Amino acid sequence: MKRHFVYTACYPAIAIACLAAQPALAQNEVATDEVAEANPASSDANVILVTARRRDESLQEVPVAINVLSEQIIAEKGINDVSAVASLTPALQFDTGSSPADIRPSLRGIALVEGRSNVAIIVDGIDVTGVSLNTVIGGGGAQTATALMDLERVEVVKGPQTVYFGRSAFAGAVHFISKDPEFDLGGSVELAAGDHGQRELTGHITGPIVGDVVAAKLSATYRGFDGFYQNPGDGYNLDGYVTKGIGGAVLIETGGLTAKIRGSFIDQDSGTGAGFILPREDTSLNGVNLITEEDFDESQVAISSDHRYAGNDSKTYRAVLDLEYDLGGGLTLNSLSGYNRIKSRIEFDFDKKPDNIPSGTELPGGLVNCLPDVCVGIFDFDTDLQQISSELRLAYETDGFRAMIGGYIFDENYEEIDYTRFLGARPFITSTRDNIPARPALLNTNTYSGFGALEFDVTDQLTVTGELRYNHEKIEAAAATGVNILFLTGSNEIDFRDEVTYDTWLPRVSVGYEVNADLNFYATVAKGSKPGGFNTGQVRNDLRPFGQETIWSYEIGAKGSAFSNAVTWEASAYYSDWRDVQTTTICYGSASPFGPEPECPTSGAVSINYIVNADSAEVKGAEFAASAQLTDWFSLSASYAYTDSKFEDFVARDVFPAPAGTTRQFGGNRVQLIPKHSASGTARVEAPVADALDGFASLTGSYRSKRFARFDNRVLLDDKITLDAQIGVKTDSFTGLLFVNNLLNDLTPDFSRYYGNFNPSRPNGEYITAPAQRQIGIRLIKNF
């Protein structure tokens, strides 16, 4: 028999073994007797509930590869953003580059270099995935990093998921699910403190407003961190942050209607990123530079101290209206609407050097030829992202058959105002924005979609599912491209406008076969697409458009359990055919000794990043996860991901140390930022130490193998192992623990990018993002 709608719980120790983010270890903290009452036909109290397909389903049976983080793990680990989820999820990478706005998530070998994310970031069903315009330095957008609060569960859904998660789920989705208000009065307080100035205080209160019809919840959070690194010139916290947030929700249940109304505001002030420029040792054409822990030099981490850089200051406004109406006869109508707005100020030290005063040859008119010696550059942007979306779904369910049809609209308006400047290049250029011409760039997107799904239980064991989504997407771009960013001459009026339209059909077919209650197999074929767009920097007009990416993914998998779910496992293998891959190259402008090049003849910059399409790449992968409750007090869990992601056909201009204008074939190179091997695991002991008091200790480890920093495969980041430890006590309503993150203090760099093009005095420079250091602290959780 198929078991599609179940409530869930786990053995107590298994629940906490979820620290390794194993799909078989998530839980919802529902007591066994509550499960039996809610689902009398089911004798299994250890089924894991997921909502990846917009309905409650057993993880063991859904034909999708999913990693789940439970409410307890979220609380104990303090998880509130994508980077924390990625640290516990093999095959999910989340990299931060040269600024807090340079964010690059990737999943299952599908890497992001610039522009729109390949991984959808979903909050309570709403797509809030960020975007950036490729003007000078690029990145994936700080919107993706916005902190969250009051989470019940996180689901990492792998593979193209466009029917249920929309346009951004090209490689998969990370779905953050908030707690609902409750009709019983209650709440919680979470407190954390640690070295490097970590401090956290989060509170929630919930209860009835109108009997058993209306319930509400109020949440608030404060998080602060002074950073692992300080600027030696002024003591400024380079990678610190302060986050303040408040949110609320209302739940209405009356008759066949369930309504959830959510709203939140988050004010996040992040310091400028920590790192330094490391010259490459091997500058031969085919040389490979391995960056290891020994190459990281903390004493070199510094920026100019001419003024306090803003880093990334963002304000996020978010609202969700989620309506469900039971029409009877197996029919359910759902409406999901969302509003997401993020306003940011992004400012950091462009040249990444500690010098405060430009030096070089003095030129007539008070100018300073600050290149190629020392030029104090300030990268400075205002950004404004506004997203409005609405989805309507009609679902039908009867014995052996389920169907769904729906429509979706999405309106996104994104604006960047550029104040980037170089001190000393002109007399009027100072540390402030005074007299600096504002250069706008705009990106507007409108999406209209129709979608549907049919699912048949062909037999009691065999289920076939077909899904289809149609996307109509219009993208408009505009930018001011006529300003020389070094000398700030020229016009700041918008001189580029263009638009493009995409019509795409996205099918997905899956087959599930239930051998018995403890063993399921599935196979899936799915297509994903990611729209193209425009380069809005100072590149040649014919290079501005870049094309839409597509991917076909083929996957087989199995999920199993034994001993009443005391042992669970999941395995999958997949192949992805990736076409028109959006990746980034550079063009040398007139400020570079290598330029100007024909690709950017009017650029006054040292270099310009712009997106091109590689013809094809392929990804071969396999994943395995298992957990076991070995005794009443000892549990183990582990997961492993193998990812072989390579370009097949990619002809593009080469970069340093190749001569300017050199073109070659990069087919056969590894896709950037993708490790071939990644793994995580947890060992945990938990046992009574007194009446109603348990003690516990856990050790969590994560591993990633070496990976290349760019598509040219000339810079290789060393492999890395990170260990985290926890020890504490807990009762039914209280948890207190001591944690140590990065127990071995491994300082192997996590990310680098070619930065010599911004510093002609170091044309072989590589920007190294400073890694997180060891951190010790305490966390207290009180539920009432």
Side-chain angles (χ1 to χ4, degrees):
M1 294 292 293
K2 297 291 175 182
R3 300 185 301 274
H4 290 283
F5 297 92
V6 292
Y7 293 85
T8 65
C10 283
Y11 293 120
I14 289 182
I16 303 175
C18 288
L19 281 169
Q22 306 308 323
L25 292 179
Q27 42 78 45
N28 283 327
E29 299 292 329
V30 182
T32 303
D33 55 347
E34 292 174 333
V35 173
E37 181 180 351
N39 188 15
S42 174
S43 61
D44 187 357
N46 304 304
V47 179
I48 300 162
L49 183 72
V50 295
T51 56
R53 298 197 297 177
R54 306 295 193 184
R55 64 178 189 261
D56 296 343
E57 297 182 278
S58 163
L59 175 62
Q60 197 69 13
E61 294 174 355
V62 65
V64 180
I66 306 174
N67 285 78
V68 183
L69 298 180
S70 70
E71 179 182 343
Q72 184 168 359
I73 301 312
I74 291 167
E76 289 190 331
K77 296 286 286 184
I79 293 170
N80 61 79
D81 60 18
V82 182
S83 61
V85 175
S87 69
L88 299 173
T89 310
L92 175 63
Q93 308 294 322
F94 190 82
D95 296 300
T96 302
S98 52
S99 82
D102 191 2
I103 304 298
R104 301 149 185 257
S106 61
L107 181 61
R108 278 193 165 182
I110 309 300
L112 171 70
V113 181
E114 308 282 354
R116 188 175 297 279
S117 173
N118 296 314
V119 182
I121 309 302
I122 309 294
V123 178
D124 296 319
I126 300 298
D127 186 350
V128 299
T129 312
V131 65
S132 72
L133 280 168
N134 200 275
T135 49
V136 179
I137 193 169
Q143 299 88 349
T144 309
T146 300
L148 299 162
M149 56 184 170
D150 197 22
L151 294 172
E152 176 185 284
R153 188 171 69 255
V154 180
E155 298 178 4
V156 181
V157 190
K158 301 176 181 178
Q161 305 293 331
T162 55
V163 169
Y164 291 100
F165 291 113
R167 61 195 300 279
S168 301
F170 182 74
V174 181
H175 190 190
F176 295 90
I177 302 164
S178 302
K179 297 176 187 176
D180 288 337
E182 299 178 3
F183 289 97
D184 294 325
L185 183 63
S188 66
V189 176
E190 302 171 18
L191 173 69
D195 57 356
H196 302 286
Q198 181 182 1
R199 63 270 187 200
E200 299 178 15
L201 178 60
T202 300
H204 316 285
I205 186 168
T206 186
I209 301 297
V210 180
D212 58 357
V213 176
V214 181
K217 179 190 67 175
L218 183 65
S219 303
T221 188
Y222 171 84
R223 302 186 187 101
F225 178 57
D226 289 346
F228 293 113
Y229 303 92
Q230 282 74 43
N231 189 32
D234 56 9
Y236 179 62
N237 296 326
L238 296 181
D239 54 356
Y241 62 82
V242 173
T243 300
K244 294 169 284 188
I246 187 169
V250 175
L251 172 64
I252 303 172
E253 294 182 344
T254 178
L257 175 66
T258 300
K260 300 175 185 178
I261 307 167
R262 305 183 192 274
S264 64
F265 169 74
I266 295 177
D267 185 345
Q268 190 169 31
D269 182 357
S270 301
T272 188
F276 69 99
I277 307 294
L278 175 71
R280 298 184 189 178
E281 292 185 359
D282 190 337
T283 57
S284 62
L285 281 176
N286 298 310
V288 176
N289 293 265
L290 176 63
I291 297 177
T292 69
E293 184 175 15
E294 287 71 29
D295 293 306
F296 177 69
D297 185 352
E298 182 177 349
S299 68
Q300 297 298 309
V301 177
I303 61 173
S304 305
S305 55
D306 56 302
H307 77 298
R308 287 295 182 99
Y309 291 85
N312 181 33
D313 296 344
S314 65
K315 292 177 171 55
T316 301
Y317 308 83
R318 189 168 294 149
V320 179
L321 176 61
D322 186 355
L323 304 176
E324 177 176 301
Y325 191 78
D326 186 350
L327 300 173
L331 287 170
T332 304
L333 184 65
N334 293 87
S335 172
L336 183 64
S337 301
Y339 173 80
N340 184 55
R341 187 171 189 183
I342 305 174
K343 302 184 69 173
S344 297
R345 164 83 184 275
I346 303 169
E347 184 192 40
F348 64 90
D349 185 5
F350 198 0
D351 57 276
K352 299 297 180 183
K353 295 180 181 179
D355 306 78
N356 294 324
I357 302 173
S359 63
T361 304
E362 292 189 5
L363 301 177
L367 306 183
V368 174
N369 182 17
C370 58
L371 300 174
D373 293 324
V374 175
C375 187
V376 179
I378 299 176
F379 184 87
D380 191 357
F381 273 78
D382 285 339
T383 72
D384 190 351
L385 173 74
Q386 180 174 281
Q387 298 169 324
I388 299 174
S389 63
S390 186
E391 177 181 285
L392 186 67
R393 287 177 283 122
L394 178 65
Y396 174 73
E397 179 173 6
T398 188
D399 289 342
F401 175 68
R402 289 154 296 280
M404 182 270 294
I405 189 170
Y408 175 77
I409 59 174
F410 176 80
D411 180 82
E412 177 183 78
N413 298 296
Y414 179 64
E415 179 182 60
E416 288 183 354
I417 307 296
D418 184 4
Y419 298 91
T420 298
R421 56 202 179 272
F422 292 86
L423 275 64
R426 296 290 300 276
F428 66 85
I429 301 176
T430 66
S431 295
T432 72
R433 291 180 172 182
D434 295 342
N435 302 313
I436 305 300
R439 290 92 71 189
L442 310 172
L443 187 68
N444 298 327
T445 301
N446 294 102
T447 303
Y448 304 91
S449 299
F451 54 87
L454 297 174
E455 184 174 84
F456 299 88
D457 294 339
V458 180
T459 69
D460 285 345
Q461 295 176 291
L462 179 65
T463 299
V464 178
T465 306
E467 304 168 0
L468 183 65
R469 187 182 190 102
Y470 167 73
N471 271 350
H472 173 79
E473 193 149 36
K474 182 179 179 181
I475 299 173
E476 300 175 295
T481 69
V483 173
N484 180 307
I485 68 168
L486 177 59
F487 297 113
L488 295 185
T489 57
S491 172
N492 64 339
E493 298 296 322
I494 291 177
D495 59 354
F496 164 72
R497 296 181 185 274
D498 208 343
E499 65 180 53
V500 65
T501 300
Y502 297 99
D503 292 282
T504 311
W505 292 92
L506 302 170
R508 179 185 175 93
V509 177
S510 61
V511 177
Y513 185 76
E514 184 182 89
V515 177
N516 54 50
D518 296 319
L519 180 61
N520 291 273
F521 291 95
Y522 69 88
T524 300
V525 178
K527 181 183 180 183
S529 70
K530 174 181 167 182
F534 299 96
N535 294 296
T536 55
Q538 293 174 314
V539 295
R540 203 171 58 211
N541 282 340
D542 63 301
L543 298 177
R544 293 195 184 282
F546 56 89
Q548 177 172 254
E549 293 184 66
T550 60
I551 192 169
W552 278 97
S553 183
Y554 309 86
E555 180 176 355
I556 57 173
K559 302 180 182 185
S561 62
F563 309 111
S564 299
N565 275 1
V567 176
T568 60
W569 59 271
E570 178 177 337
S572 61
Y574 63 90
Y575 170 80
S576 296
D577 182 8
W578 190 8
R579 299 301 176 101
D580 297 319
V581 180
Q582 295 171 12
T583 190
T584 304
T585 188
I586 64 170
C587 173
Y588 295 115
S590 60
S592 166
F594 309 123
E597 291 188 294
E599 291 85 357
C600 52
T602 64
S603 173
V606 177
S607 69
I608 292 291
N609 282 17
Y610 65 98
I611 296 174
V612 297
N613 292 97
D615 284 345
S616 61
E618 67 173 11
V619 186
K620 302 172 185 175
E623 298 171 353
F624 179 77
S627 63
Q629 183 69 35
L630 299 179
T631 70
D632 290 341
W633 54 271
F634 182 48
S635 61
L636 287 175
S637 62
S639 65
Y640 165 75
Y642 169 81
T643 312
D644 186 10
S645 185
K646 290 183 178 180
F647 292 103
E648 285 190 300
D649 186 5
F650 181 20
V651 177
R653 68 178 304 283
D654 205 351
V655 293
F656 182 88
T662 301
T663 299
R664 70 180 176 98
Q665 171 65 257
F666 292 97
N669 279 20
R670 296 280 306 281
V671 173
Q672 62 279 344
L673 302 178
I674 303 298
K676 185 171 285 189
H677 307 279
S678 56
S680 65
T682 292
R684 182 179 178 96
V685 296
E686 180 178 348
V689 295
D691 288 343
L693 180 67
D694 290 345
F696 64 89
S698 68
L699 182 67
T700 299
S702 62
Y703 166 79
R704 64 156 178 80
S705 62
K706 296 180 177 68
R707 57 180 186 158
F708 288 103
R710 281 184 58 87
F711 65 78
D712 61 2
N713 285 190
R714 289 191 176 107
V715 175
L716 184 62
L717 297 167
D718 204 3
D719 54 6
K720 185 169 185 174
I721 296 176
T722 303
L723 296 178
D724 298 336
Q726 291 185 329
I727 185 169
V729 295
K730 57 185 298 187
T731 68
D732 289 340
S733 62
F734 173 79
T735 300
L737 61 89
L738 171 71
F739 66 84
V740 184
N741 296 331
N742 194 6
L743 181 67
L744 303 180
N745 200 33
D746 189 325
L747 298 182
T748 302
D750 296 297
F751 179 84
S752 75
R753 66 170 294 170
Y754 178 46
Y755 222 78
N757 45 300
F758 300 113
N759 291 270
S761 59
R762 293 185 180 180
N764 64 333
E766 194 74 20
Y767 179 76
I768 308 299
T769 299
Q773 300 178 11
R774 181 191 294 119
Q775 187 177 26
I776 302 173
I778 61 170
R779 189 173 300 276
L780 306 175
I781 306 167
K782 174 62 178 177
N783 299 311
F784 57 89

